[in-house]
Amino acid sequence: MSVREWVPVEQRWFGLDRRTFKAGFSALAIALLLIYGWQGLNAAIPWHNEIRAGQVLDLGDGATAVPPVGWQLEQGTLVGGAGASATSLQVLLAQGGATIELIGTTYDGSAAAFLDQVHRSQGSPPGVTAARGTLTTNSGLVGVVESGSGPSGDGVDVAFKMGTGDAVNSAPALLVRVRTASGQFEHYEDQVGAMLRSITPGTAR
């Protein structure tokens, strides 16, 4: 061993050169930060994309809806943003323990048939399901409504075809899915109802 390779006893720890520890620990700390640090930072910082008065959701193809003020937009696009696709739409709004999800897709058929298909593949609203009804928006769209309530939570599903007249069967389909904790839907009912009535199809429809 040469003199340059020999490490004095006082600078060794378990046979290793303690002078290299600082650089080694720094590299390890950086690696751990890159792997775990940003995930922890993202988890520690609360999501904050609060809906403000006057903001409008982009539902694609010119269709829109007015979201409730004060809710958090966790997924989706506002009018004037990057734009949305009516046939691959994913919007998620949250407030407290409640969520409103809007899902757009292609479907040839009626709103009632679309809701049947959704429930066959994804399940119905929780608990005891009430009889189906209809909801007419301010723009004249007619949606099919089914709600349920039980110990696992409250839920409302509304299916629309985003067109009128001869174009309705070939128009994109929209599912609005509302979920709250059990017995809590009534606290959000007015806000949810106002948003549902605000849904407007694109001008081309």
Side-chain angles (χ1 to χ4, degrees):
M1 178 184 294
S2 68
V3 174
R4 294 183 63 182
E5 293 174 337
W6 180 76
V7 179
V9 173
E10 65 274 11
Q11 294 194 19
R12 281 183 281 170
W13 189 48
F14 292 110
L16 302 174
D17 187 351
R18 291 192 300 177
R19 293 172 297 180
T20 64
F21 283 8
K22 184 175 181 180
F25 282 132
S26 297
L28 178 61
I30 292 171
L32 291 174
L33 176 62
L34 291 174
I35 296 171
Y36 300 108
W38 298 124
Q39 297 177 12
L41 184 62
N42 287 336
I45 298 175
W47 182 272
H48 189 76
N49 192 13
E50 186 174 297
I51 295 295
R52 300 188 301 274
Q55 292 184 317
V56 178
L57 289 173
D58 185 349
L59 305 184
D61 288 351
T64 60
V66 180
V69 174
W71 286 56
Q72 299 294 324
L73 179 61
E74 297 192 358
Q75 187 176 2
T77 303
L78 296 172
V79 169
S85 169
T87 56
S88 59
L89 184 72
Q90 293 285 337
V91 177
L92 180 61
L93 297 156
Q95 172 74 346
T99 59
I100 304 173
E101 189 176 11
L102 295 92
I103 303 167
T105 187
T106 56
Y107 186 80
D108 290 332
S110 67
F114 173 58
L115 189 58
D116 287 337
Q117 178 174 294
V118 169
H119 288 170
R120 283 194 300 269
S121 61
Q122 302 180 19
S124 302
V128 178
T129 304
R132 283 190 179 181
T134 59
L135 179 147
T136 303
T137 71
N138 297 334
S139 63
L141 287 176
V142 179
V144 179
V145 184
E146 191 167 313
S147 62
S149 181
S152 62
D154 297 343
V156 176
D157 289 348
V158 188
F160 294 97
K161 290 305 295 293
M162 300 299 285
T164 57
D166 295 337
V168 65
N169 281 339
S170 60
L174 176 69
L175 174 70
V176 182
R177 173 161 279 176
V178 184
R179 295 292 184 266
T180 74
S182 181
Q184 295 300 304
F185 178 77
E186 62 181 18
H187 297 299
Y188 305 98
E189 186 173 3
D190 290 344
Q191 293 176 306
V192 171
M195 194 204 76
L196 289 169
R197 290 189 297 272
S198 76
I199 295 173
T200 303
T203 54
R205 301 285 177 184

